[in-house]
């Protein structure tokens, strides 16, 4: 039985968690997914992990998970995996930014398949989104961080990634207990292959660690293991329609990131004009100028989640990336 901790008198929450033993996890062998798989197994859950390759299957078995062979391209396989489980955590996403629009469209179909498999069961479906969905509805004159309850675009033409949320929350009135976890641009830690390693590579190729303009734009961030804990707590304590922010640092100035990379690599640090961003960062330029201050205050209060790991700058300075 899961060894979850509950507030005194939380009988309803305890009862529903006791019904959850097997969790179907897409992306279970990925960077974040590995952390989530370990966290669930350590707390008494069984994990059915989606694996599209022999290497992913071997990794999951070594962790102690059961393997469900398939991929997010196979919607029937996804449905079979979800129907076997007591809950679903959806982490998989094709991080091919040259085909970003098509991948977001497919994400809607993936979420639809998972939702249809759980429809009418009241089983939990936790879907992953991104804090960046908040950038296009944010008041540019405001200095306050965005919250879990701020509006987000519902039009893919404005923000393609919003489809994760709109497609999943559509099932919240169809007998599925849906919640959303928004991840920040940097989910950091050893083994990450996301934006920070790419920015380090860009710095090495350019011969300097760059930031755009004054570098005052900020990134939220979270350690991989802290994010994994949040997914478990969302499973145990989340209510239908909840949106959670997996955010430790609510806003790290990009210049500070560039400074830390420069210090660690020994590269000079320089400001890059906005119209020269692509020459320095390549397609990452639009990510490098992202400003996305985000609060996780409500998430922490609702779930009792308290990040305990290192910060992004501490990881860079410790040589996790270079």
């Amino acid at each position: 039985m899961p060894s979850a901790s509950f507030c005194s008198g939380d009988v309803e929450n305890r009862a529903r968690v006791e019904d959850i033993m097997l969790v179907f996890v897409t992306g279970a062998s990925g960077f974040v997914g590995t952390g989530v798989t370990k966290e669930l197994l350590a707390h008494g859950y069984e994990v059915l992990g989606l694996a599209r390759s022999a290497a992913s299957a071997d990794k999951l078995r070594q962790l102690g998970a059961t393997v469900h062979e398939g991929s997010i391209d196979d919607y029937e396989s996804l449905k079979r995996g979800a129907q076997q489980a007591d809950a679903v955590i959806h982490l998989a996403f094709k991080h091919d930014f040259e085909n970003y629009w098509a991948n977001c469209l497919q994400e809607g179909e993936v979420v639809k398949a998972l939702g249809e498999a759980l429809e009418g069961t009241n089983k939990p479906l936790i879907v992953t989104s991104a804090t960046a969905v908040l950038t296009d509805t944010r008041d540019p004159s405001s200095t306050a961080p965005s919250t879990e309850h701020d509006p987000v675009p519902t039009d893919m033409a404005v923000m393609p990634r919003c489809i994760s949320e709109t497609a999943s929350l559509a099932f919240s009135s169809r007998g599925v207990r849906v919640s959303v976890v928004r991840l920040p641009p940097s989910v950091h830690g050893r083994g990450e292959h996301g934006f920070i390693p790419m920015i380090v590579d860009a710095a090495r190729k350019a011969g300097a660690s760059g930031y755009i303009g004054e570098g005052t734009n900020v990134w939220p961030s979270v350690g991989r293991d802290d994010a994994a804990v949040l997914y478990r707590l969302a499973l145990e304590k989340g209510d239908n329609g909840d949106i959670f922010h997996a955010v430790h640092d609510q806003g790290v100035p990009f210049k500070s990131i560039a400074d830390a990379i420069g210090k660690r690599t020994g590269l000079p640090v320089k400001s890059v004009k906005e119209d020269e961003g692509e020459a320095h960062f390549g397609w990452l330029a639009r990510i490098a100028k992202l400003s996305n201050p985000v609060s996780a205050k409500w998430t922490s209060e609702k779930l009792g989640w308290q990040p305990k790991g290192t910060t992004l700058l501490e990881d860079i300075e410790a040589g996790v990336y270079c």
Side-chain angles (χ1 to χ4, degrees):
M1 184 174 295
S3 56
S5 298
F6 299 90
C7 298
S8 174
D10 195 0
V11 177
E12 179 183 354
N13 208 36
R14 182 186 297 273
R16 75 186 187 196
V17 174
E18 286 177 347
D19 292 334
I20 300 172
M21 293 299 293
L22 178 64
V23 184
F24 179 46
V25 182
T26 72
S29 63
F31 176 64
V32 178
T34 297
V36 172
T37 296
K38 289 179 177 179
E39 176 71 16
L40 292 173
L41 291 170
H43 285 78
Y45 296 96
E46 298 173 13
V47 173
L48 179 65
L50 182 68
R52 64 179 179 179
S53 68
S56 293
D58 288 345
K59 180 178 181 179
L60 290 174
R61 291 189 184 101
Q62 290 172 10
L63 292 173
T66 301
V67 172
H68 179 75
E69 295 182 359
S71 74
I72 57 172
D73 296 314
D74 185 346
Y75 303 141
E76 292 306 314
S77 175
L78 288 173
K79 289 181 179 181
R80 289 193 297 272
Q83 287 165 349
Q84 292 179 55
D86 303 308
V88 175
I89 296 178
H90 174 46
L91 289 156
F93 184 79
K94 292 181 180 179
H95 294 282
D96 172 8
F97 290 94
E98 291 185 2
N99 296 292
Y100 186 63
W101 182 272
N103 293 337
C104 288
L105 280 174
Q106 190 205 18
E107 172 75 351
E109 295 302 312
V110 170
V111 172
K112 180 181 176 183
L114 295 171
E116 288 176 347
L118 299 180
E119 192 167 354
T121 66
N122 200 37
K123 292 179 179 179
L125 170 61
I126 300 175
V127 170
T128 303
S129 181
T131 61
V133 299
L134 294 159
T135 55
D136 283 316
T137 52
R138 177 177 171 78
D139 179 356
S141 66
S142 174
T143 58
S146 300
T147 75
E148 297 88 341
H149 301 111
D150 285 349
V152 298
T154 57
D155 183 355
M156 273 197 68
V158 176
M159 175 57 69
R161 194 69 168 92
C162 73
I163 198 167
S164 299
E165 300 190 17
T166 55
S168 60
L169 292 170
F171 285 93
S172 63
S173 60
R174 295 167 61 180
V176 184
R177 180 154 58 88
V178 177
S179 56
V180 173
V181 174
R182 291 177 182 151
L183 294 178
S186 175
V187 182
H188 55 87
R190 198 168 297 279
E192 182 202 347
H193 47 268
F195 291 138
I196 295 297
M198 293 177 187
I199 288 168
V200 172
D201 287 344
R204 286 183 167 140
K205 289 175 182 176
S209 179
Y211 57 91
I212 293 178
E214 296 181 359
T216 54
N217 60 301
V218 299
W219 278 21
S221 65
V222 69
R224 190 269 303 272
D225 293 343
D226 282 326
V229 172
L230 189 148
Y231 275 96
R232 174 179 60 81
L233 292 174
L235 179 68
E236 295 173 353
K237 299 183 179 182
D239 290 310
N240 193 18
D242 280 348
I243 295 176
F244 301 112
H245 285 172
V247 169
H248 184 181
D249 285 317
Q250 71 177 27
V252 184
F254 198 87
K255 185 179 184 301
S256 297
I257 296 172
D259 286 339
I261 292 171
K263 181 178 179 180
R264 184 68 199 184
T265 60
L267 293 169
V269 179
K270 72 172 187 177
S271 172
V272 177
K273 294 180 180 178
E274 187 164 349
D275 60 2
E276 298 173 351
E278 286 195 16
H280 183 96
F281 291 102
W283 67 266
L284 278 167
R286 67 179 184 271
I287 307 297
K289 66 182 181 182
L290 177 75
S291 196
N292 184 211
V294 173
S295 168
K297 184 175 183 291
W298 182 85
T299 295
S300 295
E301 291 172 350
K302 173 70 184 273
L303 300 180
W305 178 65
Q306 297 294 330
K308 299 178 180 178
T310 53
T311 65
L312 172 58
L313 295 181
E314 286 170 343
D315 272 0
I316 295 173
E317 292 165 357
V320 167
Y321 298 102
C322 42

